[in-house]
């Protein structure tokens, strides 16, 4: 039996785009919170993550990564703030599972 791969999640994103979410949407807030916690663990000087609401793309999904269900995929741009300085936008991907639980938040420099 083949295990699903992350590529399938991104295929679902492309085929099932929905309107952008507001930055204060609970799913976006959850992604921001967990992402900020993870970033601070690696770099304590990070003080905030600012999500660009106009860049958000969200997709309903019904897939799995290994044994973990993925129900929503959010992709967008985020600005990582260190002290009083906000850098260039980073892309982020956030996978949300059952009951709105964040499975993964990933940031990458453009």
């Amino acid at each position: 039996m083949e295990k699903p791969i992350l590529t399938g999640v991104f295929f679902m994103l492309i085929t099932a785009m929905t309107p952008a979410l507001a930055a204060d949407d609970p799913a976006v807030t959850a992604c921001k919170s967990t992402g900020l916690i993870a970033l601070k663990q690696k770099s304590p000087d990070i003080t905030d993550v600012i999500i660009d609401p106009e860049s958000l793309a969200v997709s309903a999904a019904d897939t799995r990564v290994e044994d973990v269900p993925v129900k929503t995929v959010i992709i967008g741009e985020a600005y990582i703030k260190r002290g009083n300085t906000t850098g260039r936008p980073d892309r982020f991907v956030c996978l949300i599972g059952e009951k709105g639980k964040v499975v993964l938040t990933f940031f990458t420099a453009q």
Side-chain angles (χ1 to χ4, degrees):
M1 171 185 233
E2 280 187 46
K3 293 187 178 186
I5 56 174
L6 200 50
T7 305
V9 173
F10 293 112
F11 176 75
M12 295 291 293
L13 175 69
I14 292 168
T15 60
M17 296 289 277
T18 60
L21 295 174
D24 61 350
D25 181 278
V28 175
T29 302
C31 291
K32 176 182 174 176
S33 299
T34 58
L36 182 57
I37 290 168
L39 289 170
K40 281 185 163 193
Q41 287 177 347
K42 293 190 179 243
S43 186
D45 63 328
I46 293 175
T47 56
D48 199 6
V49 172
I50 302 154
I51 305 290
D52 177 3
E54 292 183 20
S55 72
L56 294 177
V58 80
S59 175
D62 188 15
T63 190
R64 300 176 92 69
V65 176
E66 296 287 334
D67 296 345
V68 180
V70 175
K71 300 299 181 187
T72 305
V73 178
I74 299 174
I75 295 177
E77 292 183 350
Y79 295 83
I80 297 173
K81 186 174 180 181
R82 290 177 167 86
N84 293 327
T85 305
T86 302
R88 297 173 53 154
D90 290 284
R91 293 207 187 270
F92 79 95
V93 175
C94 183
L95 305 179
I96 300 176
E98 295 176 330
K99 299 181 182 177
K101 181 179 178 185
V102 174
V103 175
L104 169 80
T105 302
F106 181 79
F107 295 87
T108 183
Q110 292 190 35

